[in-house]
Amino acid sequence: MPEDRLNRHTIRSHGAKVARTHMHDWLILLVLAIIDGILNVIEPFHRFVGEGMMTDLRYPLKDNTIPFWAVPIVAILLPIAIILVYYFFRKDVYDFHHAILGLLFSVLITAVITDAIKDGVGRPRPDFFWRCFPDGKGVFDPVTKDVRCTGDKTVIREGHKSFPSGHTSWSFAGLGFLAWYLSGKIKVFDRRGHVAKLCIVFFPLLVAAMIAVSRVDDYWHHWQDVCTGGLIGLAISSFCYLQFFPPPYDKDGWGPHAYFQVLANTSSNNSDNFYAQQTEVQIVSVCIPPHHDGDNVQINRLDSNPTLDGSQIARLH
């Protein structure tokens, strides 16, 4: 498909129409955001944590190297900025709208899945001991040896949300989608062997991986937590990207499905109109019976002017 026709579809000319077409998708995004908000405020499952299990949960309680507020900036705002830059070059509202919609779906679906699993599993974080007993004095049930936490309830509740890592899943969802997006735009699989393109694609994944590493270094997560979070984010981002765009190795991998559908419909309509005009000309031509040489001359004139109406045809007789 020709890329030079992209400038026909801008936000001003087609933005409102595209947004109305996908109004239900935006409503679903709102529902996902509400669900994730609820999952973040409900109490997670408090699984049994015996006195003997505390040996592996005594890591220091540290601050986050990557704070919570920074994750949406890296996973959402940074990809949106790159998508916006591409729009300024191509002026394709279909690419702009579907890329942002796919990105938000990727992150929010990942967030809902991650937080639902967190609440259901209730795995203690590596620093759970100091969350549970900030004074360092452990208190346990005399019979079951289960913990009897004496710390702040909010801190303890957060201590039961180790599996999987939310920082990691969000990062791989947003930056994983960006990696897919970039690979299509720069045609990384064009079979020309430019390995430098792969470095561009891998860079967002490297950033996501370093965020995942920071979660282990800060003792907020076990290594299994970040591995699972990364897989969730990558899987969801792949599904969401392929919902709106062809695979990057496809010949049309640089643009969204919707753009090519619009081109196909436009070409089909133009072909139908051209065929209808040709048929009308042929019908007008054969409806005038030749009687003598003068009529033949008039018929030739009629054939050369296929736009004559019925009254003009009557006068020719």
Side-chain angles (χ1 to χ4, degrees):
M1 288 290 182
E3 298 183 42
D4 56 350
R5 299 178 67 177
L6 281 165
N7 55 8
R8 294 184 177 184
H9 310 116
T10 63
I11 293 178
R12 177 174 297 181
S13 63
H14 291 73
K17 178 182 177 181
V18 175
R20 285 195 301 267
T21 303
H22 292 272
M23 185 63 66
H24 61 286
D25 293 314
W26 290 101
L27 291 176
I28 293 174
L29 280 176
L30 179 61
V31 172
L32 288 173
I34 294 173
I35 293 175
D36 188 57
I38 295 173
L39 291 173
N40 274 280
V41 298
I42 65 175
E43 194 71 23
F45 173 65
H46 288 210
R47 64 167 51 220
F48 174 83
V49 183
E51 184 177 4
M53 300 170 61
M54 281 296 185
T55 304
D56 297 328
L57 304 176
R58 286 179 174 267
Y59 288 90
L61 180 60
K62 297 176 56 179
D63 291 332
N64 294 286
T65 301
I66 307 296
F68 288 103
W69 56 264
V71 178
I73 295 177
V74 176
I76 299 178
L77 296 184
L78 176 60
I80 287 178
I82 295 176
I83 294 168
L84 186 61
V85 170
Y86 181 81
Y87 171 77
F88 285 138
F89 282 97
R90 287 296 185 182
K91 303 296 183 183
D92 177 19
V93 68
Y94 293 101
D95 184 277
F96 178 75
H97 178 272
H98 290 359
I100 291 183
L101 192 62
L103 172 68
L104 294 179
F105 263 113
S106 176
V107 173
L108 284 176
I109 292 176
T110 297
V112 170
I113 293 176
T114 300
D115 290 328
I117 296 176
K118 279 177 177 286
D119 291 339
V121 173
R123 185 183 189 183
R125 296 185 185 273
D127 57 8
F128 182 76
F129 177 88
W130 295 105
R131 291 175 179 272
C132 189
F133 309 119
D135 57 0
K137 299 177 182 179
V139 180
F140 303 91
D141 186 275
V143 178
T144 64
K145 299 301 181 181
D146 192 13
V147 294
R148 292 290 182 263
C149 294
T150 59
D152 183 82
K153 290 184 177 180
T154 303
V155 178
I156 296 170
R157 182 181 65 186
E158 189 63 33
H160 284 280
K161 293 185 176 184
S162 184
F163 182 87
S165 169
H167 273 61
T168 305
S169 63
W170 272 59
S171 299
F172 273 97
L175 296 177
F177 188 93
L178 178 61
W180 278 97
Y181 185 81
L182 291 175
S183 63
K185 293 300 176 285
I186 65 177
K187 301 178 181 179
V188 68
F189 299 113
D190 58 2
R191 300 183 182 181
R192 297 182 180 180
H194 298 302
V195 183
K197 292 182 177 181
L198 290 176
C199 297
I200 298 176
V201 173
F202 288 151
F203 183 74
L205 299 178
L206 175 61
V207 174
M210 295 309 298
I211 293 176
V213 170
S214 73
R215 304 307 290 159
V216 179
D217 291 346
D218 293 339
Y219 309 121
W220 277 64
H221 288 285
H222 309 274
W223 67 268
Q224 299 95 331
D225 306 336
V226 298
C227 289
T228 304
L231 290 175
I232 292 174
L234 278 178
I236 300 302
S237 64
S238 300
F239 277 108
C240 290
Y241 180 84
L242 296 176
Q243 180 72 14
F244 295 99
F245 294 85
Y249 54 80
D250 190 275
K251 65 178 181 179
D252 291 332
W254 55 269
H257 293 301
Y259 171 72
F260 299 114
Q261 291 173 356
V262 170
L263 285 188
N265 293 337
T266 303
S267 300
S268 177
N269 292 336
N270 291 339
S271 299
D272 291 342
N273 293 335
F274 178 78
Y275 177 76
Q277 292 174 359
Q278 293 297 319
T279 303
E280 182 180 357
V281 170
Q282 293 175 3
I283 291 175
V284 172
S285 299
V286 300
C287 285
I288 304 176
H291 296 295
H292 48 74
D293 294 341
D295 290 336
N296 290 337
V297 173
Q298 299 299 335
I299 292 172
N300 292 334
R301 291 172 56 193
L302 175 62
D303 291 339
S304 64
N305 187 11
T307 61
L308 297 178
D309 57 20
S311 60
Q312 291 172 316
I313 294 173
R315 287 198 298 270
L316 289 175
H317 282 77

